[in-house]
Amino acid sequence: MKVDVLLGLQWGDEGKGKIVDVLAPKYDVVARFQGGPNAGHTLEFDGIKHVLHQIPSGIFREKTRNIIGNGVVLDPIVFKTEIEKLQKYNLKVKANLFISKKATIIIPTHRLLDQAYEKAKGVDKIGSTLKGIGPSYQDKIGRQGLRVGDILAPSFKERFKKLTNIHLEILKNHDITFNWSDLESQFLDAISFLKEFNLIDSEYFINDELKKGSSILAEGAQGSLLDIDFGSYPFVTSSSTVTAGACTGLGVSPRNIGEVYGIFKAYSTRVGSGPFPTELSDADGEKMRKEGNEFGSTTGRPRRCGWIDLPSLKYSIMINGVSQLLMMKADVLSIFPIIKVCTHYELSNGSITELVPYELVNEKIKPIYVELMGWNIPLTGVSENQIPVELAQYVDFLEKALDIPITLISTGPDRTQTIHRTLK
Ligand code: GDP
Ligand code: IMO
Ligand code: MG
């Protein structure tokens, strides 16, 4: 068996959590490979909405084992809160959750540094979720980070203090207020809690499972356009959100990657700063935000909204080697009589391109649109053979332009509001 990868093709929040939960019964293992508590993955079933930040979205499926991979940055405090929230559902969390000893730990000063750095950037701020992602990956790459396996060593507290002191020294130059003794005791309490879980050598675990013939789904966080290398730098997150990130974030060879599910919204959203060529700052954008309930799952911030952007989708598909497309939130577009699709960009020098320019951040891009008829009817309860003709035309248009089949259409937040397409 191979590792299938599911990842976002836009700026995150495409609906990864919902689809991982929908697909999880088909998989023995679900594994997160990057990111941390900046993620907010929403699942809905039986009238209850759950938002997961650190825990993989297969956790509600009894037979699925879940792994937090080595590429993840883990905040023990957020983790503890998240586990406690799940307690009332009587899930087999302890038995079904495994954490890589090589995952990096977010310590409280990482969050404070995130705040300090964003504040110092002023108007150029990234719009970070302030969960300590940038500073913790910085320490990982700078070879001074703490890892989950380290918490088992007698010297852990000492090493934690040493790293903390380095950070506190930097923080002296920034105007950030905090109560260190509260943060420290909260953290050490969460570390004791974390010790009770299965801390494993996840690269061995995953490769053994592959040998045994188990099916594995790698769950991406954020989106390809927020990738540290290929996103709109510097307005990106600090990890590899693309398929290659699943290899380094889990210890899986590229030869063992199977399907790559690329998930996208039928329109576009972005939360935080940075370029967004098809952004709508008008009444249509407002309507999209309201209809799609486009408010951040982690921070509650309003998401910026706009039409679908094919040049950037094509770019993401290329980088990731996407083999199947999954289209989310088709129901949200039911309110529009006309639907626009950006097929090309016009650059400030007048040239027209379907490539994403290097100077995306400083370039004033004018999107070139084609218009398609909207379906203008609600999609609640619609099955595959009841898809309105205009939606079928929209899907057909996208499939032709992107040259990849759309195998799933999502028509609402619930597990059941999902159309699996039979391809001819
Ligand atoms: P993720 O980060 O990719 O897991 O996505 P989020 O959970 O942050 O954001 C997706 C939002 O859209 C959540 O509130 C979901 O409940 C919701 N959602 C997912 N699929 C659909 C859909 O097809 N239609 C509608 N209306 N909402 C959806
Ligand atoms: P999921 O997994 C949407 C955005 C932030 C900010 C930038 C950097 O739910 O799709 P960071 O906290 O990483 O320093 O923020 O990336 N961002 C996300 N946007 N969905 C996410 O995750 C995001 N995680 C980070 O808004 O612009
Ligand atoms: Mg999200």
Side-chain angles (χ1 to χ4, degrees):
M1 294 293 272
K2 303 233 168 188
V3 176
D4 293 342
V5 182
L6 181 139
L7 41 74
L9 299 179
Q10 297 160 318
W11 288 281
D13 301 330
E14 295 88 351
K16 299 175 290 293
K18 164 177 168 167
I19 297 301
V20 171
D21 171 62
V22 166
L23 297 180
K26 272 183 28 186
Y27 288 94
D28 299 306
V29 177
V30 170
R32 274 277 305 268
F33 58 90
Q34 45 68 233
N38 49 350
H41 293 183
T42 315
L43 298 75
E44 230 177 284
F45 54 90
D46 301 338
I48 305 174
K49 178 172 154 174
H50 305 272
V51 183
L52 299 171
H53 301 285
Q54 297 265 193
I55 300 171
S57 303
I59 202 70
F60 292 96
R61 304 294 195 171
E62 203 178 326
K63 295 201 174 105
T64 307
R65 281 162 297 152
N66 291 266
I67 298 178
I68 297 178
N70 58 276
V72 169
V73 284
L74 182 85
D75 184 331
I77 299 174
V78 177
F79 176 76
K80 181 166 180 273
T81 311
E82 213 169 314
I83 295 282
E84 285 168 350
K85 261 198 192 154
L86 290 179
Q87 259 157 13
K88 62 177 168 204
Y89 301 108
N90 290 323
L91 306 169
K92 292 187 187 162
V93 177
K94 278 241 166 86
N96 279 343
L97 183 62
F98 301 83
I99 305 168
S100 170
K101 285 190 198 160
K102 292 192 172 72
T104 295
I105 294 182
I106 300 179
I107 68 173
T109 40
H110 285 137
R111 273 184 278 127
L112 300 173
L113 287 170
D114 222 355
Q115 272 180 46
Y117 295 153
E118 277 285 81
K119 213 169 161 190
K121 286 194 180 98
V123 290
D124 296 325
K125 70 172 193 222
I126 291 165
S128 165
T129 59
L130 302 179
K131 301 292 176 189
I133 306 300
S136 57
Y137 276 117
Q138 242 173 320
D139 277 346
K140 170 181 176 173
I141 302 298
R143 300 164 297 182
Q144 61 177 7
L146 297 170
R147 306 199 290 182
V148 167
D150 298 342
I151 69 174
L152 305 173
S155 61
F156 178 71
K157 245 190 195 166
E158 203 181 301
R159 293 184 58 192
F160 163 64
K161 286 219 160 102
K162 207 167 152 194
L163 185 56
T164 297
N165 285 337
I166 295 173
H167 294 163
L168 290 174
E169 206 49 46
I170 301 170
L171 284 163
K172 278 186 189 158
N173 300 315
H174 294 268
D175 180 23
I176 299 283
T177 46
F178 52 90
N179 180 331
W180 180 244
S181 70
D182 278 2
L183 289 175
E184 188 181 34
S185 63
Q186 217 185 353
F187 177 76
L188 293 174
D189 182 39
I191 288 293
S192 308
F193 183 81
L194 182 60
K195 277 186 189 162
E196 294 165 23
F197 284 78
N198 297 303
L199 312 182
I200 62 161
D201 295 309
S202 58
E203 61 278 33
Y204 279 117
F205 183 104
I206 289 172
N207 283 288
D208 283 349
E209 288 295 324
L210 279 176
K211 267 192 215 146
K212 280 192 256 171
S214 300
S215 51
I216 302 179
L217 179 65
E219 172 181 2
Q222 291 76 58
S224 304
L225 305 176
L226 289 171
D227 179 76
I228 183 71
D229 286 281
F230 301 106
S232 45
Y233 194 87
F235 300 102
V236 293
T237 190
S238 300
S239 64
S240 293
T241 61
V242 296
T243 306
C247 295
T248 55
L250 295 176
V252 170
S253 156
R255 290 194 295 168
N256 282 329
I257 298 295
E259 290 294 322
V260 179
Y261 300 107
I263 179 164
F264 68 101
K265 278 180 192 168
Y267 49 100
S268 308
T269 64
R270 177 167 199 165
V271 59
S273 326
F276 182 178
T278 61
E279 180 169 14
L280 292 168
S281 311
D282 58 5
D284 279 348
E286 196 52 51
K287 271 165 77 179
M288 242 177 227
R289 180 159 36 250
K290 201 161 163 242
E291 189 66 15
N293 192 22
E294 295 296 358
F295 295 89
S297 313
T298 297
T299 57
R301 291 178 293 175
R303 296 179 184 143
R304 300 154 67 193
C305 296
W307 298 113
I308 200 160
D309 175 344
L310 297 190
S312 60
L313 273 180
K314 284 179 183 173
Y315 183 73
S316 297
I317 288 169
M318 172 183 78
I319 300 289
N320 289 306
V322 171
S323 58
Q324 294 187 38
L325 289 166
L326 319 179
M327 186 172 89
M328 307 302 290
K329 303 191 96 160
D331 54 305
V332 174
L333 293 187
S334 294
I335 55 169
F336 292 100
I338 298 285
I339 291 170
K340 291 192 188 183
V341 176
C342 166
T343 57
H344 293 81
Y345 297 153
E346 185 180 328
L347 307 181
S348 47
N349 66 6
S351 65
I352 291 177
T353 181
E354 56 169 359
L355 305 181
V356 177
Y358 173 74
E359 270 299 351
L360 188 61
V361 171
N362 298 315
E363 176 67 65
K364 186 95 193 88
I365 285 175
K366 192 172 150 220
I368 297 179
Y369 290 112
V370 297
E371 296 189 349
L372 275 74
M373 289 299 294
W375 40 95
N376 243 217
I377 47 167
L379 298 177
T380 322
V382 164
S383 63
E384 188 183 8
N385 51 18
Q386 297 165 328
I387 291 177
V389 64
E390 296 84 357
L391 172 56
Q393 282 164 354
Y394 187 60
V395 170
D396 190 52
F397 183 90
L398 297 179
E399 275 186 329
K400 287 209 171 89
L402 301 171
D403 204 20
I404 310 274
I406 297 177
T407 55
L408 182 150
I409 302 172
S410 175
T411 57
D414 193 87
R415 253 180 201 171
T416 56
Q417 294 170 307
T418 309
I419 301 173
H420 297 270
R421 295 181 75 219
T422 17
L423 297 176
K424 294 175 189 102

